[in-house]
């Protein structure tokens, strides 16, 4: 209703532990010796601790995911080119948790949305300063490179130097060697390998 994104846990994928209170009550009543009673109580305490721990874990995952979505709303609205630079520290500070907790929570956890499925770690990236003094995500720049190459003339493919110039026109100043590094990271060959030669 307030125009923000709604984030929910997929409860089907979450570990679920329940303690059978009826069974615990039955066993407690039948335990005669003190050591048996102590054992049953210790088992119940361990089970309760595990249930609470899993519940806390689920709440922590949700809290971290909500903050990532809040900070990366541009990605969900407009796509990968609108990813902002983001690090673990920024999320940790925003939600009042330790950076190591955020790191653990984002490992091997995935977010499913209309744009696909992404590991939470995907939303963290380094930044490049633009001419306007803003910061641009390295993943967003990779997406821009991919888009430029997808629409290039295959008979005259864009060199890394030309991509640098085209991005500069958009206010993004990136070194040619950085373009080459990003291009390789997304699995795109250099311009001389992308060139189509017409032998007719």
């Amino acid at each position: 209703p307030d125009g923000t994104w709604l984030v929910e846990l997929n409860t089907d994928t979450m570990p679920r532990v329940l303690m059978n209170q009826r069974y615990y009550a039955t066993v407690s009543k039948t335990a005669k010796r003190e050591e048996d009673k102590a054992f049953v109580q210790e088992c119940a305490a361990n089970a309760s601790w595990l249930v609470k721990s899993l519940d806390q874990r689920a709440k922590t995952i949700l809290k971290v995911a909500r903050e990532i979505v809040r900070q990366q709303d541009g990605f969900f609205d407009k796509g990968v080119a609108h990813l902002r630079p983001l690090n673990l520290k920024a999320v940790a500070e925003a939600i009042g948790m330790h950076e190591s907790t955020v790191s653990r929570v984002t490992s091997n956890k995935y977010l499913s949305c209309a744009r696909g499925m992404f590991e939470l770690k995907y939303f963290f990236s380094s930044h490049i300063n633009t001419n306007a003094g803003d910061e641009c995500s390295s993943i967003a720049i990779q997406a821009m490179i991919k888009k430029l190459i997808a629409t290039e003339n295959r008979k005259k493919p864009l060199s890394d130097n030309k991509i640098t110039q085209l991005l500069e026109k958009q206010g993004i100043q990136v070194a040619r060697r950085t373009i080459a590094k990003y291009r390789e990271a997304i699995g795109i060959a250099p311009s001389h390998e992308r060139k189509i030669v017409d032998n007719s």
Side-chain angles (χ1 to χ4, degrees):
D2 63 356
T4 59
W5 290 93
L6 176 67
V7 184
E8 295 177 325
L9 283 174
N10 179 356
T11 52
D12 292 342
T13 66
M14 303 298 289
R16 191 178 162 115
V17 176
L18 296 172
M19 184 174 145
N20 189 327
Q21 295 290 346
R22 189 179 295 169
Y23 181 72
Y24 168 62
T26 303
V27 173
S28 295
K29 284 176 189 171
T30 56
K32 303 290 184 226
R33 297 183 307 164
E34 285 304 315
E35 55 262 40
D36 292 342
K37 289 178 183 176
F39 174 73
V40 170
Q41 285 175 349
E42 186 183 346
C43 289
N46 287 340
S48 294
W49 175 84
L50 183 58
V51 169
K52 284 176 187 170
S53 295
L54 289 172
D55 182 55
Q56 185 57 49
R57 177 180 180 267
K59 285 176 181 171
T60 303
I61 292 168
L62 190 57
K63 196 173 186 181
V64 170
R66 281 179 175 155
E67 184 57 27
I68 290 170
V69 170
R70 188 187 71 78
Q71 295 211 31
Q72 295 291 15
D73 60 341
F75 166 83
F76 297 99
D77 287 331
K78 299 171 185 171
V80 68
H82 297 272
L83 268 176
R84 296 183 186 118
L86 185 63
N87 58 34
L88 296 169
K89 188 179 179 185
V91 171
E93 286 177 355
I95 60 177
M97 286 185 177
H98 198 276
E99 204 172 319
S100 62
T101 304
V102 174
S103 179
R104 270 196 315 277
V105 164
T106 52
S107 293
N108 301 311
K109 309 293 184 313
Y110 293 81
L111 186 144
S112 178
C113 62
R115 299 195 180 276
M117 189 174 293
F118 304 88
E119 188 175 5
L120 288 180
K121 294 256 186 219
Y122 171 82
F123 297 98
F124 296 97
S125 69
S126 56
H127 70 273
I128 299 286
N129 290 319
T130 67
N131 292 346
D134 300 324
E135 291 182 343
C136 192
S137 159
S138 57
I139 295 172
I141 292 170
Q142 287 175 22
M144 290 175 195
I145 294 168
K146 200 172 184 178
K147 191 175 178 182
L148 286 169
I149 291 173
T151 57
E152 72 186 356
N153 178 348
R154 296 300 298 276
K155 290 180 181 177
K156 289 183 181 177
L158 299 170
S159 66
D160 294 340
N161 205 43
K162 184 64 180 172
I163 293 169
T164 303
Q165 292 168 9
L166 291 170
L167 288 178
E168 202 167 323
K169 285 179 183 175
Q170 296 180 47
I172 299 163
Q173 206 159 13
V174 189
R176 187 204 56 77
R177 64 182 177 277
T178 306
I179 296 293
K181 185 177 86 172
Y182 286 175
R183 176 181 49 70
E184 286 169 13
I186 53 179
I188 296 175
S191 57
H192 68 274
E193 289 181 26
R194 299 195 311 271
K195 189 171 186 176
I196 293 174
V197 180
D198 190 359
N199 293 321
S200 56

